[in-house]
C-alpha cells in the first residue's frame, strides 16, 4: 500500500518535472517479454524509463539498478525493491590495487589502466557450448554456468561490469567456481528473464559524460543468446542529464522523452562485437527521430 | 434585459457571463462534432479541409480548457486563480528552457529561476505588493541570475545562456504573472468584478490570434494560385517569410480591427468607456500579436516548428507556450497601461 502510494507520488513528481513522455516509434507498447536497452547518462534514467512505461507494462518490467548506488541507504533500498521492483546488479568490484582511489564507482578494469583494445576473436568458437536452448523454467544455476564461459574464456575483453577481474586473471580453471559464480553480474538478470519478466538494461555499464553512448558491454549479447525469443527493444532517453547532472542533488524541470525504436534481433551466427555495435547504433539512431 | 443584468449582484453577473460563454462554446463544439461525424461517414471534402477541421478542433479544445480554468479560478477565489496561473507559468517556462541549450553550469541558475523566482513573483502578486512585483524580476533577478551563473565557473557562451534564461523568465514568469495581477486592481465602483477584466483581456487577445490564424490559413499566399478577385487583397506576401510564413500587415490589421471592435462591444463588462475599451484592446492586441511574432522568431532560431515536447510537432500537437505567448506579452502592457491611465 505504502509502496503504491509512493509510486503514485513519485510518478506525479516525475511527470511535473520532466513530462516523462514515451514515444513509441518502432514498436507499440505490448505486454510481451522484452529486453529494453537504453543509453545511460544519469542515475535518474531508471526512474525516467519506469515513469515513461504505461501502467500495464510497469508491473511486469524490471529495471536494473546498480547496487552500490541504489542500495546504500535503507530508503533507497526500499524504494528500489518495493516501488521500482528493480533487479540489483553489481558493478565495480573492489579494486585489486589498493592505491587506486575508489572514489569514482566507474568500472575500471583493475589491472590495465588503458582501455583494452578490441580483441581478435579466437578461432575456437566459444559460441557453441551454450547454443543449448535454455528452457524457460530452467534452474538458474544451470544458466549461470553457461554464461560463465564467455566471461572466463575470453580474457582481456572489456571486463563485464567487472567484478570478474579475479576471474579474468585466472582464466582457465575458474569455470563455474563458486567465487566466479557469485561474481557473475548477469545472474540476477537471467533469473528475472527466466521468471518471465521484461527487463530494462543499460549496456554501457556506466554513466557517460559526453552524450555519446560508450561501447556496449557484452551482457546484452549473452542475454540475447540465452533468450532468443525475448524481443530486444532499443530506447533513447533524451535530456535527462540536464535534469540532474552528475553531482547535483536538486533536479530542474526540463521536458524529457524516452523513444522506443524498432526491435532488433541476434542474427544466426552473428559475432559478439558486430552485434553490440549494431545495438548501439540502433539506440543512437533514435536520438534524431 | 439590459436593466435586469445591471441589477444583478457582481457575482451573478460573472456567473451569467460564464453561462453565456459556455453556451456559445457548447453550440460551436456540437456543430463541429456533427460535421466531423458526417465527414467520417462519407467524406465530402478534401484531405486538407479535414486537416483544417482537426486544427480548429484543437483550438476549440484549448479554448474550452482555458474557460474551464478561468471558471474554476473565479469560483474558488483569487488565491486559486493565482495558483493556476503560476502552474501555467511553470509549464511554459519548462518548455522554454527545454528548447534552450543549457549547460551544466546553468544548473544553479535554473534552480533559482524555477524554485525561487517563480514562487516569489506569484506570492508578490497574491499579496498585492505591486511596487515590488513590478521591479522584482527586471531589477533583482536580472542581476541575480548572471551572478549565480558566474559563480558556477563556466564562461562558455555566457551572455547567450544568460540572455536566454532572462528571456524565459521575463516572458513566462513576469508576463504571465500580470494576468492574475489584474484580479487585484480595484477600480472605484467595480469591486468584485475583476474577473471580468481578466476575461476581457484573454478573450480579446485570443480573438485577435484566432482571426489572424484563420485569415492566414484561409487566404494563404501563393504566387501561382490567385483566389477570387474579391479576396485577393487579403492574399499578401508574407512580410518576414524567414520568421513567419503567414504574417503580413493586411491580415494583421484585419485581426486588430476585429478584435478591437469586439473589445469595444464588451466594454459594458469592464470599467472602461466605449472608446477606452477600444484603445485598451488595441494596445493588448498589438502587444500580443507582436509577441507571438517574436516567439516565432525564437522558434526559427532553435529550428523547431513549435514549442512543447520534442517530436510532437509531426503529430500536430502544439506546446502550451504556443497558446499563451501572446497573452504573456499582452498582459504586462495591458496591466501597466490600465494602471497608469486610470491611476488605480
Amino acid at each position: 500500500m505504502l509502496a503504491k502510494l509512493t509510486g503514485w507520488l513519485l510518478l506525479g513528481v516525475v511527470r511535473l518535472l520532466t513530462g516523462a513522455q514515451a514515444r513509441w516509434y518502432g514498436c507499440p507498447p505490448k505486454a510481451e517479454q522484452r529486453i529494453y536497452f537504453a543509453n545511460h547518462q544519469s542515475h535518474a534514467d531508471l526512474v525516467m524509463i519506469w515513469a515513461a512505461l504505461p501502467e500495464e507494462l510497469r508491473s511486469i518490467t524490471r529495471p536494473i539498478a546498480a547496487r552500490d548506488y541504489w542500495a546504500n541507504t535503507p530508503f533507497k533500498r526500499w524504494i528500489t525493491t518495493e516501488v521500482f521492483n528493480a533487479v540489483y546488479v553489481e558493478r565495480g568490484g573492489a579494486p585489486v590495487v589498493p592505491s587506486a582511489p575508489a572514489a569514482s564507482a566507474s568500472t575500471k578494469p583493475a589491472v590495465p589502466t588503458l582501455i583494452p583494445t578490441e580483441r581478435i576473436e579466437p578461432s575456437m568458437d566459444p559460441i557453441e557450448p551454450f547454443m543449448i536452448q535454455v528452457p524457460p523454467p530452467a534452474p538458474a544455476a544451470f544458466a549461470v554456468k553457461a554464461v560463465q564461459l564467455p566471461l572466463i574464456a575470453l580474457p582481456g575483453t572489456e571486463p563485464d561490469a567487472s567484478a570478474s577481474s579475479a576471474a579474468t586473471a585466472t582464466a582457465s580453471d575458474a569455470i563455474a567456481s563458486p567465487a566466479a559464480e557469485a561474481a557473475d553480474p548477469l545472474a540476477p538478470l537471467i533469473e528475472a528473464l527466466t521468471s518471465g519478466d521484461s527487463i530494462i538494461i543499460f549496456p554501457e555499464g556506466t554513466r557517460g559524460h559526453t552524450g555519446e553512448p560508450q561501447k556496449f558491454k557484452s551482457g546484452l549479447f549473452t542475454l540475447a543468446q540465452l533468450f532468443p525469443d525475448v524481443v530486444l527493444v532499443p530506447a533513447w532517453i533524451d535530456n535527462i542529464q540536464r535534469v540532474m547532472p552528475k553531482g547535483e542533488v536538486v533536479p530542474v524541470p526540463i521536458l524529457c522523452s524516452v523513444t522506443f525504436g524498432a526491435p532488433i534481433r541476434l542474427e544466426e551466427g552473428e559475432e559478439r562485437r558486430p552485434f553490440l555495435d549494431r545495438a548501439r547504433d540502433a539506440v543512437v539512431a533514435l536520438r534524431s527521430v | 434585459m439590459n436593466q435586469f443584468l445591471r441589477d444583478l449582484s457582481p457575482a451573478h453577473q460573472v456567473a451569467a457571463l460564464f453561462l453565456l460563454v459556455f453556451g456559445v462554446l457548447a453550440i460551436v463544439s456540437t456543430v463541429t462534432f456533427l460535421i466531423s461525424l458526417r465527414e467520417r461517414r462519407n467524406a465530402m471534402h478534401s484531405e486538407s479541409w479535414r486537416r483544417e477541421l482537426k486544427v480548429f478542433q484543437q483550438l476549440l479544445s484549448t479554448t474550452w480548457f482555458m474557460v474551464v480554468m478561468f471558471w474554476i479560478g473565479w469560483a474558488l477565489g483569487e488565491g486559486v486563480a493565482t495558483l493556476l496561473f503560476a502552474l501555467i507559468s511553470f509549464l511554459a517556462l519548462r518548455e522554454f528552457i527545454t528548447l534552450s541549450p543549457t549547460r551544466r553550469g546553468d544548473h544553479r541558475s535554473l534552480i533559482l529561476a524555477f524554485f525561487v523566482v517563480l514562487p516569489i513573483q506569484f506570492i508578490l502578486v497574491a499579496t498585492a505588493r505591486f511596487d515590488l512585483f513590478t521591479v522584482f524580476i527586471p531589477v533583482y533577478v536580472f542581476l541575480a541570475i548572471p551572478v549565480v551563473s558566474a559563480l558556477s565557473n563556466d564562461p562558455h557562451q555566457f551572455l547567450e545562456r544568460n540572455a536566454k534564461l532572462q528571456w524565459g523568465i521575463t516572458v513566462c514568469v513576469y508576463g504571465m504573472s500580470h494576468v492574475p495581477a489584474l484580479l487585484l486592481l480595484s477600480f472605484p465602483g467595480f469591486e468584485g468584478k475583476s474577473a471580468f477584466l481578466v476575461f476581457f483581456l484573454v478573450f480579446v487577445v485570443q480573438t485577435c490570434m484566432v482571426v489572424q490564424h484563420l485569415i492566414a490559413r484561409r487566404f494563404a499566399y501563393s504566387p501561382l494560385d490567385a483566389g477570387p478577385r474579391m479576396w485577393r487583397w487579403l492574399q499578401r506576401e508574407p512580410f518576414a517569410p524567414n520568421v513567419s510564413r503567414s504574417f503580413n500587415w493586411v491580415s494583421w490589421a484585419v485581426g486588430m480591427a476585429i478584435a478591437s471592435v469586439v473589445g469595444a462591444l464588451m466594454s459594458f463588462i469592464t470599467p472602461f468607456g466605449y472608446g477606452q475599451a477600444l484603445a485598451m484592446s488595441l494596445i493588448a492586441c498589438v502587444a500580443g500579436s507582436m509577441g507571438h511574432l517574436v516567439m516565432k522568431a525564437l522558434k526559427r532560431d532553435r529550428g523547431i516548428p513549435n514549442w512543447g515536447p520534442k517530436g510532437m510537432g509531426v503529430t500536430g500537437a502544439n506546446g502550451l507556450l504556443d497558446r499563451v505567448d501572446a497573452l504573456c506579452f499582452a498582459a504586462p502592457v495591458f496591466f501597466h497601461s490600465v494602471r497608469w491611465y486610470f491611476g488605480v
Side-chain angles (χ1 to χ4, degrees):
Chain A
M1 191 61 228
L2 184 61
K4 249 196 163 38
L5 210 64
T6 314
W8 279 104
L9 197 70
L10 195 67
L11 207 57
V13 170
V14 171
R15 291 232 164 109
L16 188 66
L17 287 179
T18 69
Q21 196 206 0
R23 302 157 71 215
W24 297 89
Y25 267 83
C27 57
K30 204 162 94 183
E32 60 190 0
Q33 198 179 11
R34 285 174 170 176
I35 298 176
Y36 300 96
F37 56 98
N39 57 325
H40 196 25
Q41 292 166 313
S42 160
H43 283 308
D45 279 337
L46 162 73
V47 187
M48 188 69 221
I49 205 161
W50 167 84
L53 285 171
E55 182 73 39
E56 305 77 51
L57 297 189
R58 206 175 298 138
S59 53
I60 57 164
T61 309
R62 305 187 63 186
I64 64 169
R67 187 184 292 276
D68 58 321
Y69 175 82
W70 284 103
N72 56 6
T73 63
F75 173 70
K76 271 196 214 165
R77 192 174 313 132
W78 177 80
I79 205 165
T80 318
T81 47
E82 293 301 317
V83 179
F84 302 140
N85 187 15
V87 184
Y88 279 120
V89 291
E90 306 290 346
R91 51 163 204 183
V96 176
V97 190
S99 64
S104 71
S106 68
T107 61
K108 263 192 288 220
V111 186
T113 45
L114 292 170
I115 300 164
T117 48
E118 192 53 51
R119 234 184 64 99
I120 302 155
E121 294 292 332
S123 56
M124 186 193 83
D125 208 347
I127 294 171
E128 241 163 58
F130 46 80
M131 283 309 279
I132 315 154
Q133 290 285 320
V134 182
F142 172 74
V144 169
K145 257 181 202 153
V147 179
Q148 278 307 314
L149 288 172
L151 292 180
I152 306 309
L154 306 176
T157 50
E158 324 88 296
D160 217 299
S162 156
S164 59
S165 54
T168 41
T170 57
S172 52
D173 56 343
I175 294 181
S177 76
E181 204 163 300
D184 174 28
L186 287 180
L189 298 184
I190 289 164
E191 212 168 316
L193 282 169
T194 312
S195 65
D197 285 326
S198 298
I199 57 166
I200 301 167
I201 60 172
F202 304 109
E204 291 169 78
T206 176
R207 291 173 293 155
H209 293 279
T210 54
E212 277 299 315
Q214 301 163 18
K215 263 199 172 142
F216 278 9
K217 303 222 158 72
S218 54
L220 178 67
F221 176 75
T222 314
L223 291 175
Q225 279 183 321
L226 288 174
F227 300 92
D229 297 337
V230 178
V231 184
L232 304 171
V233 179
W236 175 266
I237 304 176
D238 192 44
N239 259 352
I240 189 80
Q241 75 288 0
R242 289 174 64 196
V243 174
M244 244 174 132
K246 268 188 184 180
E248 293 286 350
V249 282
V250 181
V252 296
I254 283 176
L255 289 169
C256 298
S257 60
V258 182
T259 311
F260 296 96
I264 64 168
R265 47 174 310 155
L266 184 59
E267 299 302 337
E268 202 62 44
E270 189 172 16
E271 295 281 338
R272 190 174 53 90
R273 188 34 66 188
F275 169 75
L276 291 176
D277 287 343
R278 199 160 61 88
R280 183 178 169 276
D281 292 345
V283 169
V284 175
L286 293 173
R287 178 161 44 176
S288 51
V289 168
Chain B
M1 178 73 191
N2 209 351
Q3 197 54 46
F4 167 73
L5 282 175
R6 281 188 192 287
D7 292 343
L8 290 173
S9 65
H12 282 124
Q13 284 181 351
V14 180
L17 171 81
F18 275 115
L19 210 61
L20 179 77
V21 173
F22 277 125
V24 171
L25 267 182
I27 291 168
V28 174
S29 302
T30 315
V31 170
T32 317
F33 179 67
L34 289 176
I35 290 177
S36 70
L37 272 189
R38 195 191 63 189
E39 276 301 310
R40 203 166 301 165
R41 287 204 33 202
N42 48 354
M44 312 203 359
H45 295 273
S46 63
E47 186 64 37
S48 63
W49 191 90
R50 270 202 298 276
R51 254 206 308 279
E52 286 302 310
L53 189 71
K54 247 202 177 69
V55 170
F56 183 71
Q57 279 175 321
Q58 266 172 4
L59 263 175
L60 212 57
S61 64
T62 311
T63 316
W64 265 111
F65 176 76
M66 278 181 162
V67 174
V68 169
M69 281 281 149
F70 278 130
W71 183 66
I72 293 172
W74 172 75
L76 295 181
E78 283 160 8
V80 177
T82 308
L83 199 64
L84 278 178
F85 281 108
L87 186 66
I88 293 174
S89 164
F90 175 88
L91 297 175
L93 185 61
R94 190 179 75 173
E95 275 179 12
F96 188 93
I97 296 297
T98 301
L99 294 164
S100 318
T102 56
R103 294 161 57 87
R104 276 196 62 176
D106 293 326
H107 198 79
R108 300 274 158 88
S109 338
L110 287 175
I111 290 175
L112 185 71
F114 275 104
F115 300 128
V116 180
V117 174
L118 196 146
I120 288 182
Q121 177 73 0
F122 278 90
I123 287 168
L124 289 176
V125 174
T127 51
R129 295 203 172 91
F130 283 138
D131 41 0
L132 186 54
F133 141 84
T134 308
V135 297
F136 173 63
I137 285 179
V139 178
Y140 298 99
V141 176
F142 182 81
L143 185 62
I145 294 277
V147 167
V148 173
S149 269
L151 289 175
S152 73
N153 191 22
D154 181 5
H156 187 80
Q157 291 184 317
F158 187 80
L159 178 61
E160 191 185 334
R161 279 163 34 208
N162 277 292
K164 282 193 166 127
L165 190 51
Q166 306 268 30
W167 248 94
I169 293 175
T170 305
V171 174
C172 303
V173 182
Y174 190 68
M176 198 36 110
S177 66
H178 281 77
V179 181
L182 287 171
L183 289 170
L184 305 174
L185 287 180
S186 56
F187 287 89
F190 196 66
E191 282 78 21
K193 297 197 221 170
S194 306
F196 281 134
L197 215 51
V198 177
F199 175 81
F200 175 81
L201 172 69
V202 174
F203 189 82
V204 167
V205 172
Q206 279 305 93
T207 305
C208 166
M209 297 322 289
V210 169
V211 168
Q212 280 184 12
H213 171 86
L214 287 178
I215 291 178
R217 288 277 171 146
R218 177 72 189 72
F219 305 106
Y221 171 79
S222 59
L224 302 173
D225 167 41
R229 186 174 296 274
M230 65 179 290
W231 293 118
R232 207 161 298 172
W233 61 278
L234 271 177
Q235 295 176 315
R236 295 301 166 96
E237 276 185 74
F239 181 77
N242 293 339
V243 169
S244 164
R245 283 193 297 275
S246 62
F247 178 83
N248 65 67
W249 290 114
V250 173
S251 65
W252 178 77
V254 172
M256 288 294 117
I258 292 178
S260 304
V261 169
V262 167
L265 290 177
M266 288 171 64
S267 67
F268 65 91
I269 65 163
T270 65
F272 316 137
Y274 191 77
Q276 287 169 337
L278 187 83
M280 285 298 165
S281 317
L282 196 61
I283 288 172
C285 287
V286 171
S289 55
M290 287 297 152
H292 192 68
L293 194 68
V294 168
M295 292 308 262
K296 266 192 176 163
L298 286 182
K299 283 188 280 190
R300 288 279 174 279
D301 179 33
R302 301 285 321 115
I304 47 171
N306 44 41
W307 303 105
K310 178 182 148 195
M312 293 297 275
V314 281
T315 59
N318 278 342
L320 176 76
L321 198 49
D322 294 293
R323 302 273 184 245
V324 299
D325 54 3
L327 193 61
C328 288
F329 280 86
V333 176
F334 181 78
F335 175 86
H336 287 292
S337 314
V338 169
R339 273 197 87 196
W340 170 79
Y341 187 83
F342 293 91
V344 286

